[in-house]
């Protein structure tokens, strides 16, 4: 199969219930694993066994000085320093369409910097230490489009004919809404994209919010996002769903 490349300009950065994509221009996800040495007498070469996984995320971009700005990145990030509730991050790698790759994590904000160069735009950055693993998933619904009715998004084919058996994790980011009373979003799976079963059901949402949910066991070949309930007068909701197999 020929290699496929993507430009980074289409990347999407969701941080809790916020879409920070317009402010940030670079992101790095790092994953590592501890190792412990098991070398002993008689060995000529060092030997190791694998230990515990670790992960971090760092993002950098521009500061926002809009008058009265209450929802810009700095206020939201600064408020999470020392928070006991880890923020949820979904980082779309080069795109935000259904099936595009996403790095997913929850973690603690360990650093937030503002840079003020004399001849450049004022910058901002954030560092996040993952708690639990960093997962590699896909968008089941991208963050750019709004919805006004119930219904399902297009399905994603994992390519695993028999499915997978180690469960998965899903993120729901509701980044904006108008007149929302309640919305119920699910992740469903199917062996042949014909008959669908619920895999993850998020708690009914009544406003901008974020949710993270995990599931154990078998995940069938195909997955999709579906909205089974959406109520409100002339309602409109912008949300994204990311899902990763484990």
């Amino acid at each position: 199969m020929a290699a496929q490349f993507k430009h980074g300009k289409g990347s999407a950065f969701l941080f809790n219930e916020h879409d920070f994509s317009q402010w940030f221009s670079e992101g790095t996800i790092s994953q590592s694993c501890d190792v412990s040495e098991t070398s002993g007498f008689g060995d000529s070469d060092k030997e190791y066994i694998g230990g515990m996984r670790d992960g971090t995320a760092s993002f950098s971009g521009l500061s926002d000085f809009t008058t009265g700005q209450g929802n810009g990145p700095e206020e939201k990030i600064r408020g999470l320093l020392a928070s006991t509730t880890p923020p949820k991050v979904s980082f779309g790698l080069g795109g935000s369409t259904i099936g595009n790759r996403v790095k997913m994590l929850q973690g603690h904000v360990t650093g937030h910097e503002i840079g003020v160069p004399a001849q450049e735009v004022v910058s901002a950055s954030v560092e996040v230490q993952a708690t639990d693993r960093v997962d590699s998933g896909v968008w089941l619904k991208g963050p750019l489009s709004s919805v006004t009715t119930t219904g399902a998004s297009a399905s994603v084919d994992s390519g695993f004919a028999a499915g997978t058996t180690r469960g998965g994790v899903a993120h729901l980011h509701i980044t904006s809404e108008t007149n929302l009373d309640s919305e119920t979003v699910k992740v469903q799976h199917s062996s042949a994209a014909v008959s669908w079963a619920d895999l993850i059901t998020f708690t009914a949402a009544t406003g901008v919010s974020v949710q993270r949910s995990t599931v154990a066991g078998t995940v069938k070949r195909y997955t999709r996002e579906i909205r089974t309930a959406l109520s409100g007068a002339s309602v409109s909701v912008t949300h994204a769903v990311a899902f990763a197999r484990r």
Side-chain angles (χ1 to χ4, degrees), residues 5 9 20 34 39 60 67 80 120 128 153 163 177 205:
F5 304 103
K9 66 182 181 181
F20 284 167
D34 296 333
S39 309
S60 60
T67 301
L80 287 169
E120 297 290 344
V128 180
S153 297
E177 56 86 8

Side-chain angles (χ1 to χ4, degrees), residues 33-228:
C33 179
D34 296 333
V35 294
S36 298
E37 188 175 351
T38 59
S39 309
F41 294 125
D43 290 333
S44 297
D45 301 291
K46 288 187 175 183
E47 297 179 358
Y48 297 86
I49 57 173
M52 302 179 73
R53 290 183 292 257
D54 194 12
T56 59
S58 61
F59 300 92
S60 60
L62 304 177
S63 271
D64 188 344
F65 288 87
T66 303
T67 301
Q69 174 72 9
N71 294 317
E74 286 131 59
E75 291 300 315
K76 298 302 179 182
I77 292 169
R78 184 166 54 85
L80 287 169
L81 285 166
S83 171
T84 58
T85 301
K88 284 68 174 172
V89 174
S90 297
F91 183 39
L93 308 181
S96 58
T97 56
I98 293 172
N100 197 87
R101 291 172 56 194
V102 184
K103 287 291 188 179
M104 303 163 58
L105 63 100
Q106 64 175 354
H108 296 282
V109 176
T110 57
H112 174 43
E113 292 185 353
I114 301 295
V116 188
Q119 297 180 344
E120 297 290 344
V121 178
V122 177
S123 63
S125 65
V126 60
E127 305 284 336
V128 180
Q129 170 64 59
T131 177
D132 198 0
R133 71 180 72 178
V134 175
D135 288 285
S136 296
V138 295
W139 292 120
L140 296 186
K141 183 190 175 301
L144 299 182
S145 61
S146 61
V147 297
T148 57
T149 63
T150 57
S153 297
S155 63
V156 175
D157 182 357
S158 70
F160 296 106
T164 51
T165 60
R166 297 189 298 273
V169 57
H171 286 178
L172 168 63
H173 302 264
I174 299 180
T175 57
S176 68
E177 56 86 8
T178 302
N179 300 326
L180 175 63
D181 290 334
S182 181
E183 181 186 39
T184 300
V185 177
K186 299 180 179 182
V187 174
Q188 294 185 325
H189 62 158
S190 173
S191 297
V194 176
S195 178
W196 294 89
D198 294 346
L199 182 65
I200 290 174
T201 300
F202 292 105
T203 301
T206 58
V208 293
S209 56
V210 66
Q211 295 184 49
R212 174 182 170 95
S213 183
T214 59
V215 64
T218 298
V219 180
K220 297 176 182 178
R221 177 172 178 171
Y222 297 88
T223 51
R224 71 177 185 181
E225 171 266 359
I226 186 169
R227 303 165 304 281
T228 58

